[in-house]
Amino acid sequence: MTLSELFVVVPAGGSGTRLWPLSRAGNPKFLHALTGTDRSLLQATFDRLTPLAPPERLLVVTGTAHAAGVARQLPDLPDRNILVEPFARDSCAAIALAAAVIERRSPGAVMASFAADHLITDTDEFARTVERAVAGAREGYLMTIGITPTRPETGYGYLQLSAPAERGVIQPVLEFKEKPSLEVATRYVESGAYLWNASMFVWRTDLFLAELAARRPDVAGPIAAIAAAWDTDEQEDVLAELWPTVPKVAVEYAVMEPAAEEGKVATVPGDFGWSDIGDFETVVRLLGTDVGEGGRSFTSEAGGSRAVVVDGSDVIVVPNGGRLVATLGVRDLIVVDTEDAVLVCDRDRAQDIKRLTEILRERGDADYL
């Protein structure tokens, strides 16, 4: 079901700090096979999106350190469609750059943006939902695809609707909500009028860029100049000069939240088996196997890595160092083994693993990141 003239953008950045030490700055999570197959998250995303838009209309925005890995994993993607950021400037800069390049190549096109590190199990339903969102974008909305909540989740932001979500129906987004407490999240889910914000966006490039220029000219100005030089001999010089001047800001804060207040944002509920591979709890819950009483394990690489849990309770083991990892009589732990680093973490602190990476950086141990 190729959608006529749809462009698709895949932001592929970050180092997946909540999955350290498996995910590293030079080998981030989207390049790992965290899909239950030998395909990486990025490759699975590519496989899911190319039926909607051919490789000629698919762009990946990534960092300098990851560009070679992206090209290696996606040999069918044209080199000109790998947009390389000199360094990360948050989601607005990455998405705006892609939108401006697409607008330069195909004025007035519809683009969709999907992260490189999500899992989706029902690809047919995903395609139908994207098709509905594209229709909304052609009507002039800045569209999102919200995810139908399956539980009160405190780790995601939410989209507030005016009425309970209806499958396949385009509905206005009243407000973007920050990550809530458990009590608030429970109230959201029970109301039926809130969706998870998965940062899936669909819009006409000219309309999005106009909204960006009106709301954040400090972002729109340098991005427009960079895009004007794209695909020319001046591209690298202009990028190097202007990219450092682009402010760091998320696209929700820069454009989507204020636009929602003016009735310009709408959503289509998505119910297609979506998961954000954000932490070890999620990885092992979705893809792990039992390795003894009370333990589950997952490895993304071959090489003899194995795990055994004896007399345990709620133990998660990720053996990726080519060794056997065994636990005895412990509970509520996450154990991650790689070639050069071992993580032992209380399960209740899974969301705090990012703090370890910050401490290592402050101590001068960046080689482990």
Side-chain angles (χ1 to χ4, degrees), residues 184-244:
V184 173
T186 300
R187 190 165 69 245
Y188 285 175
V189 174
E190 289 176 348
S191 76
Y194 290 80
L195 302 171
W196 287 337
N197 174 24
S199 295
M200 297 181 178
F201 306 114
V202 186
W203 48 53
R204 279 177 40 188
T205 51
D206 56 346
L207 294 183
F208 169 75
L209 292 169
E211 291 291 331
L212 179 65
R215 301 175 193 282
R216 291 300 300 259
D218 55 341
V219 177
I223 290 293
I226 292 168
W230 210 265
D231 297 326
T232 74
D233 292 341
E234 287 76 39
Q235 173 180 319
E236 294 304 321
D237 290 341
V238 174
L239 180 65
E241 177 186 354
L242 295 182
W243 191 256

Side-chain angles (χ1 to χ4, degrees), residues 273-335:
W274 173 87
S275 297
D276 174 19
I277 305 299
D279 56 43
F280 290 114
E281 287 272 358
T282 304
V283 170
V284 177
R285 174 171 53 84
L286 293 173
L287 304 171
T289 58
D290 294 334
V291 288
E293 184 177 351
R296 286 178 65 80
S297 173
F298 172 78
T299 179
S300 66
E301 299 175 3
S305 299
R306 293 180 55 222
V308 176
V309 174
V310 179
D311 295 336
S313 175
D314 296 320
V315 179
I316 291 173
V317 183
V318 182
N320 260 62
R323 292 178 285 263
L324 168 69
V325 177
T327 70
L328 174 63
V330 298
R331 62 181 59 201
D332 298 321
L333 283 183
I334 297 172
V335 181

Side-chain angles (χ1 to χ4, degrees), residues 28-274:
K29 63 179 178 178
F30 61 82
L31 296 178
H32 285 267
L34 302 177
T35 62
T37 73
D38 61 356
R39 300 289 279 174
S40 71
L41 285 168
L42 175 65
Q43 290 170 321
T45 301
F46 182 83
D47 297 342
R48 180 168 63 247
L49 295 176
T50 46
L52 306 180
E56 293 73 24
R57 297 205 306 270
L58 192 153
L59 290 76
V60 176
V61 186
T62 195
T64 303
H66 310 142
V70 169
R72 183 171 59 253
Q73 289 200 358
L74 303 180
D76 294 333
L77 185 68
D79 289 343
R80 72 193 294 258
N81 286 2
I82 301 177
L83 309 187
V84 181
E85 305 174 287
F87 45 85
R89 303 304 284 167
D90 215 326
S91 63
C92 190
I95 292 173
L97 174 62
V101 170
I102 292 169
E103 176 67 14
R104 174 180 171 85
R105 295 176 180 175
S106 183
V110 174
M111 69 167 267
S113 176
F114 303 104
D117 56 0
H118 293 172
L119 274 183
I120 289 174
T121 57
D122 189 343
T123 55
D124 290 339
E125 180 61 25
F126 171 74
R128 287 189 288 269
T129 305
V130 173
E131 184 177 26
R132 194 74 187 96
V134 168
R138 287 176 174 152
E139 293 173 11
Y141 288 108
L142 300 178
M143 293 294 301
T144 71
I145 295 176
I147 305 299
T148 303
T150 58
R151 61 188 182 277
E153 174 60 60
T154 61
Y156 303 146
Y158 286 73
L159 308 173
Q160 180 185 4
L161 313 183
S162 59
E166 296 183 54
R167 186 170 184 171
V169 176
I170 296 173
Q171 296 173 254
V173 173
L174 299 183
E175 192 174 353
F176 284 71
K177 297 289 190 178
E178 297 290 343
K179 297 175 182 179
S181 66
L182 181 59
E183 178 183 358
V184 173
T186 300
R187 190 165 69 245
Y188 285 175
V189 174
E190 289 176 348
S191 76
Y194 290 80
L195 302 171
W196 287 337
N197 174 24
S199 295
M200 297 181 178
F201 306 114
V202 186
W203 48 53
R204 279 177 40 188
T205 51
D206 56 346
L207 294 183
F208 169 75
L209 292 169
E211 291 291 331
L212 179 65
R215 301 175 193 282
R216 291 300 300 259
D218 55 341
V219 177
I223 290 293
I226 292 168
W230 210 265
D231 297 326
T232 74
D233 292 341
E234 287 76 39
Q235 173 180 319
E236 294 304 321
D237 290 341
V238 174
L239 180 65
E241 177 186 354
L242 295 182
W243 191 256
T245 72
V246 181
K248 294 181 66 174
V249 61
V251 71
E252 284 92 344
Y253 294 133
V255 175
M256 301 301 281
E257 291 186 9
E261 295 176 359
E262 297 179 6
K264 297 179 178 180
V265 177
T267 190
V268 177
D271 189 4
F272 35 69
W274 173 87

